[in-house]
Every structure is written in structure tokens, then in C-alpha cells.
Amino acid sequence: MTTLLDTIISRIRANGPMRLDDYMTTCMLHPTLGYYTTRDPFGTHGDFVTAPEVSQMFGELIGLCLAQIWLSQGAPARFTLAELGPGRGTLMADLLRAVQKVPGFVEAAEIVLIEASPTLRDIQSATLNGHSPRWVETPEDLDDQPLYLVANEFFDALPVRQFVRDKEGWRERLISHSNGALSFGLGPRLPQPALDDRLDDTADGDLVEDCPPLTGYMRPISHRIATFGGAALIIDYGDWRSLGDTLQALQGHKPTNPLIAPGRCDLTAHVDFEKLALAAAPAKHSRVTPQGVFLERLGITQRAQALAKAMSGTALETHIAAHRRLTHPSEMGNLFKVMGLYPPTQPPLPGLEP
């Protein structure tokens, strides 16, 4: 049986060393051997757990936040409620349950899921049974109307390129093979206009990552928000500016070598929030805020206390642990960051600062 490793080695033999973004795209989205196209990677039986899988409170608070923005913007009678990379559909299901009591919100919403994986689309359809979502490939396919969007752990999965600086310029980190195994090496020194702004804050030997697809996803989102109204919440791990090798692979909830088992492990890289902010124009963007701070501002502790009243024993212990995992600085609270997008004429989003 041909494996994805065999396929990648064949491509390298035919075309020369492979760029990291090409490798990541192949690993994640190969039609028959890709990670996302062949499996459900989420939850305790998958390779990683996202915030919506930790607790229903996460999706509920996101939903109420978006509903508050919808009300403050005049409650438009028709709008797009979208999620980038919706996983199993858990966040959207929790979101929709939380906003049921907001008069007119669900009725006005056209639910759109931006998802490339056929396997995950089937799971999302079952999770959201009764809500009739629509699936599209990219944000370019969204209607021209107010857009309320959430992207939780989506941008970290976009493919990146890596460049190492030396005294004379940039050399790209490329993937080659030897004796049936993949390995990293450096390509020739070439001009990299996309990294001109990094010459002032880097030195010889520094590694910088660039995410080519990022702007293509952000521009149609920010255009719709700036033109028609709405908002976006982007939640992911990363920081204001990328520096260093952040490529990581997870298999069975444990770190692994990203070149060992292509197509069988999750590949991600930290998000460069500065690039997201720059691509967000003409929409405005909020400050980057730790997830724990954001959720506390939205009232997660009060919600946790209300839910805890009906719990005891193991269920209560699990609930307390979930609250801690989402908010504590040593867990997801500081690792994950939140940035909001909103129209130039509107105030910042609840829980976030301009």
C-alpha cells in the first residue's frame, strides 16, 4: 500500500526539496491520505482537545458575545453566522443553544461552516441536526451581508514557510529525503520581500515563519465586516510577532517529530497576530488578549457557578477542572489569545479593548 510518505518522497525525487507549506498542505489535506480528510482528530480518542470539547461554557459565552454585538449593531434582519474550521460542530451547537433566548437572532442567522474535510462535514451535519447549516470552501464564498464569525484554532493549522537569516539575506528551510526518511535543509539565498519588515528585529541565525494563505482568508472577512457590519472573534495560540521555530506535531495527545508520520499527526504553527491585524484592514482590530482574561470578562466564573449548583461528585470535579483549564494562566488561559474584528464605526467587542 502506498503511504503518504511514499508519495512525498516521489514528489521530492521528481521536483527537488519541498517547501514546508507544501508539505503541511499535503499532510493535512491530501484527498485520500491526508490527516483531516481521513479522520476525526478531536477529543480524547483523537490527537488533541480544543476549548469547545473542554466545556460547553466556551461556546455559550462566544454565542452570547456575538448576540450582544448583533443587538448593539441594530439587530440586522439577515446575517451570516459563520465558523472557520468548525471541528465537530461542538462550538456552533453550544453557541446556538445559548442564543435561543435572544429574540430574533437564530431566525435572522444563516449558518455557514467553512470546512474542507468531507469527514468533518459529515460529523458537523450530525452535530447540528435541525439547524440546516451550509458549507463553503473559503470566506470568498460568503454572502455580501453582515458577518458574525468565530475562528477557534483555525489559523494555527494554516501552512507556513520558514526562513533562516544570515549576514547576506534569507534561506528557506526545505524538506528533502535520504534512505526513506525526511529531513530539513536550507535552500539557496534568495530575496524575500515579505520579510523586509523583519530585518530590524532579527539577527543572524534567527528563524522566522510566514503564512502565505493568511491574508487570503482575512481579507474577505474584514471586507464584509467593514462594509456590511458584524464582527469576528479569532482565538488561537501564538503571539504578536512570530520568531523561532513553532512547527509542532501531535499524535495521540503527545508531541512527535513532524517528519516521521506524514498524514497521521496534526501539524500546526503559532499564529502571528500582527500579520492578522495588518490583514484585517479596513476593519478595526482589538488588542490581543489572553483567553482566560477574555472569558472572565464575559462572565465564565458566574456561569460555572450556576452550572455547578446542579452537580456533585465526579461531574462537579470535572466541571471545576474544565473551568481551570480554559482560564488558568498555566493552562489554556495564557497560551491562547483572542483578537476581535469590528467595523470602523462601531465600539470594540465585549471583553476586548481597542
Side-chain angles (χ1 to χ4, degrees):
M1 179 182 294
T2 299
T3 67
L4 191 55
L5 177 61
D6 297 327
T7 300
I8 290 170
I9 290 176
S10 295
R11 284 182 55 187
I12 292 173
R13 285 174 177 160
N15 304 315
M18 180 180 287
R19 285 177 13 182
L20 178 56
D21 59 338
D22 292 338
Y23 175 77
M24 292 180 70
T25 300
T26 302
C27 289
M28 307 309 282
L29 297 176
H30 186 281
T32 58
L33 300 170
Y35 181 77
Y36 280 125
T37 54
T38 58
R39 73 196 68 211
D40 172 10
F42 301 95
T44 56
H45 299 293
D47 292 316
F48 57 89
V49 175
T50 62
E53 308 289 338
V54 172
S55 170
Q56 69 184 64
M57 296 184 292
F58 184 82
E60 291 173 347
L61 291 173
I62 295 295
L64 293 173
C65 178
L66 292 179
Q68 180 59 51
I69 300 163
W70 175 73
L71 289 169
S72 70
Q73 294 183 2
R78 193 67 181 161
F79 68 92
T80 301
L81 178 62
E83 184 175 358
L84 271 172
R88 288 176 171 166
T90 305
L91 189 157
M92 183 60 75
D94 291 340
L95 183 162
L96 289 167
R97 185 182 61 256
V99 299
Q100 287 291 335
K101 295 183 179 180
V102 180
F105 184 87
V106 174
E107 293 76 12
E110 177 190 358
I111 303 167
V112 181
L113 305 178
I114 304 168
E115 176 61 68
S117 166
T119 300
L120 291 177
R121 285 188 179 194
D122 289 342
I123 296 170
Q124 293 154 14
S125 179
T127 302
L128 296 169
N129 182 34
H131 287 292
S132 302
R134 178 168 67 92
W135 285 267
V136 299
E137 292 286 335
T138 74
E140 291 281 5
D141 301 318
L142 297 172
D143 292 341
D144 288 339
Q145 61 185 16
L147 171 64
Y148 298 82
L149 176 141
V150 59
N152 179 62
E153 290 199 58
F154 172 81
F155 285 97
D156 67 271
L158 293 183
V160 298
R161 298 172 69 182
Q162 292 184 332
F163 300 90
V164 177
R165 184 179 174 185
D166 64 20
K167 293 180 181 179
E168 300 180 41
W170 299 98
R171 299 179 67 187
E172 185 160 12
R173 205 172 183 219
L174 302 173
I175 298 169
S176 190
H177 76 95
S178 177
N179 299 320
L182 301 176
S183 61
F184 283 110
L186 293 179
R189 196 174 293 106
L190 295 171
Q192 300 295 341
L195 301 179
D196 286 347
D197 63 336
R198 301 307 307 273
L199 295 175
D200 292 336
D201 73 330
T202 55
D204 293 351
D206 281 348
L207 187 149
V208 170
E209 294 171 343
D210 184 47
C211 182
L214 184 150
T215 300
Y217 276 96
M218 285 293 287
R219 282 185 175 166
I221 293 169
S222 59
H223 167 73
R224 283 161 178 78
I225 291 172
T227 305
F228 305 104
L233 285 170
I234 299 169
I235 306 111
D236 228 313
Y237 57 88
D239 219 322
W240 181 247
R241 180 172 284 193
S242 165
L243 183 62
D245 180 8
T246 71
L247 176 68
Q248 62 182 26
L250 283 178
Q251 190 173 30
H253 297 269
K254 296 180 180 179
T256 187
N257 186 324
L259 302 184
I260 291 294
R264 290 184 286 153
C265 56
D266 179 51
L267 297 178
T268 61
H270 283 204
V271 174
D272 186 326
F273 278 91
E274 181 184 36
K275 290 289 179 68
L276 281 174
L278 291 171
K284 296 185 72 174
H285 64 86
S286 74
R287 289 190 180 188
V288 176
T289 302
Q291 175 179 290
V293 173
F294 173 68
L295 293 176
E296 290 293 356
R297 288 173 177 173
L298 294 185
I300 190 171
T301 294
Q302 291 83 350
R303 177 59 175 154
Q305 291 169 343
L307 290 172
K309 292 178 181 179
M311 298 178 181
S312 62
T314 302
L316 179 59
E317 293 174 2
T318 301
H319 175 63
I320 293 171
H323 175 249
R324 175 185 171 85
R325 186 170 183 182
L326 289 175
T327 61
H328 197 275
S330 67
E331 299 203 33
M332 298 176 80
N334 273 2
L335 175 63
F336 286 85
K337 311 295 194 306
V338 184
M339 187 172 76
L341 307 183
Y342 53 100
T345 58
Q346 296 291 330
L349 281 58
L352 298 172
E353 299 172 347

